[in-house]
Amino acid sequence: MTTPTASVAPAKPPGPEGLRPEGPLPTVTQAAVPFIEIETLRAREFLPAAREALTSLIAEQGQTKVIRPVFNWAGRNSLFPLHWGLACCAIEFAAAFGGRWDAERFGVVPRSSPRQCDLMIVNGTVTWKVAHKLITLYEQMPEPKWVIAMGNCATGGGPFRTAYSVVPGVDKLVPVDVYIAGCPPRPEAMLDGILKLEQLIRERKE
Amino acid sequence: MQPDDIARQLAPKLGDGLLSVEPFPGTAGRVRFRSERALELFRAVRDDLHFGHLSMVGAIDWVDHREVFYVAWSDAATQYLFLSTDVPASAAHVESASSVWPSANWHEREAWEMVDVTFDNHPDLRHLLMPDGYAFHPLLRSFKLHEPEELEVKSRHV
C-alpha cells in the first residue's frame, strides 16, 4: 500500500484546456502601493508611519497631486443626495434605497438637510413655481456638489416641455453633471447614473 | 329642488339681476345673473336656498366675453347649483364671493391667474400656481403654447 505524497503534482492542471496558465501561479513580489512598504504595524505605530509617508510624498510630488485622489476617493464613496421628491421619479428614487436595490451599498445615503448633502437628484417635473426653491436648495449645499437630472422631465421637460408652467430642463437653473433618461428610469438606471457620477469624480482634477 | 322653485325664491331679491334659471344636468339648475348683482345673489343662495358650501369657481374665455361660474352644494337638498355670469373681456371683473363663502378664496386666485378675471374686494388676490411676477394668463385663448424661451425669460424672476 503506497501513501500518496503531496510533492507529486499532476502533469496538467485539471479542468478544461486553456483556462489556467502553465506553471506555478505568480507570486506578489512588489507592494501593490509603490510608495508605502507593506509591513505589519501596531496601531500606535501606523499613524506616525502613514503621516511620515504622506509628508515625504507631498514634499516630493506636491500637495494637490497627493491629496486630490484621496479626497475624490472619499467623496465618491459617500455621496449624500438630498432627500426630496418632485414627481413620480421619486417613487423609483425611493425604491432604489429599498431592500431590493439597496443604493446604500454604494455609500449613497439620502439626507434631509441640504447642508449635509453634496448631490442633488432632481427626480421629477420642475415647475416655475418650484424653480426658486430648487435654486435655494442648491445654493445651500456645500461645495463640492453635483446634480443628477433623473428622468425625462428633469432632463428636458419631458411631455410637458411646451407647457406654460414647466421648466424645459433643470439645466436651465443649475449645472447638471449626469442625465438619466427614462419615464421614469428604473432603479437600476439610477444606480448606473450614480456610478457614472462616481467615475466623473474619480477623474476630477480640479 | 327644481329650477322653478329657485327662480321663485330668487326673483324678489334679485329683480332684474336674475337673467334666467334653466335645467342643467347633474345640478338643481343653472342660474344666470348680471355680474353687478353678484354679491346679493351669493347671499340669497347661501341664506335663502341654504347652499352652504361653494365647491368650485372657474372661468372660461369665450373670446368675445368671459364666463365666470360657481358651483354651490347644499347638504339639505344634496344637490349642486350652477351659477354663471358673463363679463366683457375688456373689463373682466366681478365681486369676490370669498366674503360669503370663504372657500372661494383660492379658487378665485386660480381663476384670476389663469383667465385674467379680476375679483373685486378679494382679500388676497395673488398668484397661486405660478411664481410671483409671472407675466401670462395661460388659459386665455390668445396665449401661445410654443414659446418656452420667452416664458423662461419672463418667468425666471430669480
Side-chain angles (χ1 to χ4, degrees), chain A residues 128-129 132 162 164-165 172, chain B residues 130-131 134 145-146 152 156:
Chain A
W128 285 114
K129 184 83 170 178
H132 317 112
T162 54
Y164 54 85
S165 58
K172 301 250 186 289
Chain B
M130 291 291 150
Y134 191 78
L145 199 56
H146 299 274
E152 181 193 341
R156 177 179 282 262

Side-chain angles (χ1 to χ4, degrees), chain A residues 75-85 93-94 96-97 102-123 137-138 141-142 144-150 180 190-191 193-194 197-198 201:
Chain A
R76 73 171 180 265
N77 285 303
S78 61
L79 285 170
F80 284 6
L82 184 60
H83 192 183
W84 73 320
F93 176 85
F97 293 95
D102 195 17
E104 283 192 19
R105 64 201 152 116
F106 301 115
V108 183
V109 183
R111 304 294 300 183
S112 296
S113 167
R115 296 164 200 274
Q116 299 170 346
C117 297
D118 52 1
L119 170 62
M120 172 184 272
I121 299 182
V122 184
N123 43 19
L137 286 170
Y138 178 76
M141 286 161 50
K145 50 193 172 186
W146 295 276
V147 177
I148 291 181
M150 180 182 180
I180 305 173
M190 206 201 92
L191 295 181
I194 288 173
L197 180 65
E198 290 188 6
I201 299 171

Side-chain angles (χ1 to χ4, degrees), chain B residues 54-89:
Chain B
L54 188 66
S55 169
M56 178 180 170
V57 178
I60 305 170
D61 179 21
W62 292 111
V63 183
D64 55 337
H65 69 280
R66 287 168 201 165
E67 177 183 355
V68 188
F69 61 89
Y70 307 77
V71 180
W73 169 259
S74 166
D75 279 333
T78 61
Q79 272 180 321
Y80 287 109
L81 182 64
F82 195 93
L83 318 169
S84 77
T85 183
D86 291 344
V87 291

Side-chain angles (χ1 to χ4, degrees), chain B residues 96 98 104-106 108-109 119-126:
Chain B
S96 167
S98 56
N105 191 323
W106 282 29
E108 288 177 348
R109 282 168 64 183
F119 291 91
D120 303 331
N121 298 322
H122 190 282
D124 188 19
L125 196 63
R126 59 189 167 87

Side-chain angles (χ1 to χ4, degrees), chain B:
Chain B
M1 196 177 290
Q2 296 300 314
D4 296 342
D5 308 332
I6 297 168
R8 204 179 309 120
Q9 294 194 52
L10 290 181
K13 292 215 167 186
L14 269 294
D16 63 342
L18 187 71
L19 293 178
S20 69
V21 183
E22 58 210 39
F24 196 71
T27 68
R30 180 191 187 187
V31 179
R32 303 187 67 237
F33 60 97
R34 290 190 197 281
S35 60
E36 298 83 17
R37 310 287 294 273
L39 209 53
E40 296 167 54
L41 177 99
F42 298 149
R43 291 215 175 95
V45 166
R46 185 191 66 176
D47 298 335
D48 301 344
L49 301 181
H50 304 294
F51 281 85
H53 171 61
L54 188 66
S55 169
M56 178 180 170
V57 178
I60 305 170
D61 179 21
W62 292 111
V63 183
D64 55 337
H65 69 280
R66 287 168 201 165
E67 177 183 355
V68 188
F69 61 89
Y70 307 77
V71 180
W73 169 259
S74 166
D75 279 333
T78 61
Q79 272 180 321
Y80 287 109
L81 182 64
F82 195 93
L83 318 169
S84 77
T85 183
D86 291 344
V87 291
S90 56
H93 66 94
V94 70
E95 189 71 20
S96 167
S98 56
S99 62
V100 181
W101 290 292
S103 67
N105 191 323
W106 282 29
H107 292 270
E108 288 177 348
R109 282 168 64 183
E110 183 186 359
W112 164 71
E113 80 172 350
M114 288 294 161
V115 196
D116 192 17
V117 174
T118 308
F119 291 91
D120 303 331
N121 298 322
H122 190 282
D124 188 19
L125 196 63
R126 59 189 167 87
H127 280 286
L128 178 68
L129 300 171
M130 291 291 150
D132 291 336
Y134 191 78
F136 303 100
H137 297 280
L139 293 193
L140 287 179
R141 288 174 196 271
S142 57
F143 179 77
K144 290 185 178 57
L145 199 56
H146 299 274
E147 45 187 23
E149 303 308 322
E150 191 188 356
L151 272 179
E152 181 193 341
V153 172
K154 289 196 178 175
S155 50
R156 177 179 282 262
H157 192 65
V158 177

